[in-house]
Amino acid sequence: MASSGIFATQRFVTSEAVEIELPAASLPLRMVSGLIDLLVAAVGVLLLVWLLPAQLFLQDAALGQVFAIVLMVVVMAALPITLETTLHGRTLGKLALGLRTVRDDTGPIGLRHATIRALAGTFELWLTLGAVALIVAATNERGKRLGDFLAGTYVVRDRVRLSIPAAPGMPEGLAGWAQQADIGVLPDTLVVAARQFLTRADSLSPAARTETGNELYLALLDRVAPAPPPAAPADQVLAAVLAERRRRDELRLARDDRLRARLLPSPPPPARRPRHTRRLPQPHRTVVRATPGGPPGHTGVPCRASRQRS
């Protein structure tokens, strides 16, 4: 995990120090998903009421009140908690539209998150008819409602392809310095910030680009020796350090692979069995039985000489 931007919240980071933020679902999609869930719940309640005998509740008003309370608890809390926990952040409406509820760090939610969202939803969705949830979701970029803020979650589009930007290349004038430099352990926060800055540098204003680049440059100087050339731009120094760090990691991984192949030889490939095996004819065997009461060694089969004498 690493920070977003330079110093911000925790999010998912790949092994290449590339931060991945799943795209948040739009507010109209979430509203349609909620309507599908509401429609499914309404159909289930109507089927349950139609199947149960009405005379049972007309004769006992207390039983009818208990049934109504239990039904409300199941629809408002138990059903969404069960679905989001077992389906990993999905309800029937989210499953139909390709949406999913995740944590703020893009991890899967658990029972605690689903319970907090459902309990908060009883107020902002049911008691206020969705007005509070709509106002809160419209005031933030991720479309988070009150339950999402309390549980630390948000809804994402599950059916989306993520693109990872290309790694920064080595500047021509800093290749010699980077190969001889001693690069210390760089924290994920600094590496992610540098990668994001180099990826979005062209879209920044000159003032913001200079300020952010100098801030990252100063944070990098304490972990690199000797210092880079004084006339080198900050963005080129950052690109040189990241490219050299990647090159050294690739060399280390290749060296580990060669060592592993030398110490742990690969097993021989399994022998291929022929598709059709031809069975050889077996020689004919003659079973000879001894004659009861005969001398030892007598088999009871007369030899050729005895047949001629006879």
Side-chain angles (χ1 to χ4, degrees):
M1 300 295 170
S3 299
S4 170
I6 299 179
F7 307 105
T9 58
Q10 297 288 323
R11 294 176 185 170
F12 180 74
V13 179
T14 65
S15 58
E16 294 292 334
V18 178
E19 181 183 4
I20 294 180
E21 181 181 359
L22 297 177
S26 62
L27 187 57
L29 278 179
R30 296 193 60 179
M31 294 176 63
V32 174
S33 170
L35 291 177
I36 294 176
D37 292 333
L38 182 61
L39 181 61
V40 171
V43 171
V45 170
L46 292 178
L47 288 177
L48 184 61
V49 173
W50 180 68
L51 292 176
L52 292 177
Q55 300 295 333
L56 181 64
F57 303 108
L58 294 177
Q59 296 176 359
D60 192 348
L63 182 60
Q65 294 177 359
V66 171
F67 174 76
I69 294 174
V70 171
L71 194 60
M72 290 174 58
V73 172
V74 170
V75 173
M76 294 182 181
L79 184 61
I81 291 174
T82 303
L83 289 177
E84 289 193 347
T85 303
T86 56
L87 298 180
H88 305 288
R90 300 179 181 91
T91 59
L92 297 180
K94 292 183 177 67
L95 195 62
L97 298 180
L99 306 181
R100 180 164 55 95
T101 303
V102 297
R103 301 195 307 260
D104 285 338
D105 59 355
T106 69
I109 67 172
L111 178 61
R112 177 175 61 87
H113 306 89
T115 304
I116 295 175
R117 296 183 78 253
L119 294 180
T122 57
F123 165 72
E124 59 177 339
L125 294 176
W126 295 97
L127 298 182
T128 62
L129 300 180
V132 174
L134 182 61
I135 294 174
V136 175
T139 56
N140 60 90
E141 59 179 2
R142 286 187 172 183
K144 300 175 65 171
R145 60 181 179 87
L146 185 60
D148 291 321
F149 281 108
L150 295 177
T153 59
Y154 73 109
V155 180
V156 300
R157 288 178 294 163
D158 203 11
R159 302 169 185 171
V160 63
R161 292 184 178 181
L162 299 177
S163 59
I164 299 179
M170 175 66 71
E172 297 180 358
L174 296 177
W177 165 80
Q179 293 178 1
Q180 301 296 329
D182 183 12
I183 303 176
V185 179
L186 303 179
D188 291 341
T189 304
L190 180 59
V191 175
V192 171
R195 286 293 300 266
Q196 288 187 344
F197 169 72
L198 294 175
T199 304
R200 306 171 184 175
D202 295 336
S203 61
L204 299 177
S205 62
R209 180 173 180 175
T210 302
E211 181 181 358
T212 307
N214 292 335
E215 184 178 354
L216 294 173
Y217 178 81
L218 294 177
L220 189 67
L221 285 180
D222 298 336
R223 297 173 174 84
V224 178
D235 54 349
Q236 293 188 9
V237 173
L238 295 173
V241 171
L242 294 183
E244 179 62 22
R245 179 177 178 265
R246 177 186 176 89
R247 187 187 70 86
R248 294 181 184 181
D249 289 341
E250 291 177 350
L251 293 177
R252 177 178 54 81
L253 293 175
R255 183 173 62 252
D256 294 342
D257 291 340
R258 291 193 299 268
L259 180 61
R260 188 181 302 106
R262 186 169 64 251
L263 297 179
L264 302 174
S266 58
R272 298 182 58 184
R273 298 181 59 183
R275 295 183 178 179
H276 303 285
T277 57
R278 184 177 179 181
R279 299 182 61 182
L280 297 177
Q282 298 182 358
H284 179 70
R285 296 180 180 180
T286 304
V287 179
V288 179
R289 298 180 180 179
T291 303
H298 181 67
T299 60
V301 179
C303 61
R304 181 179 301 177
S306 61
R307 290 199 300 269
Q308 290 177 358
R309 287 196 301 268
S310 60

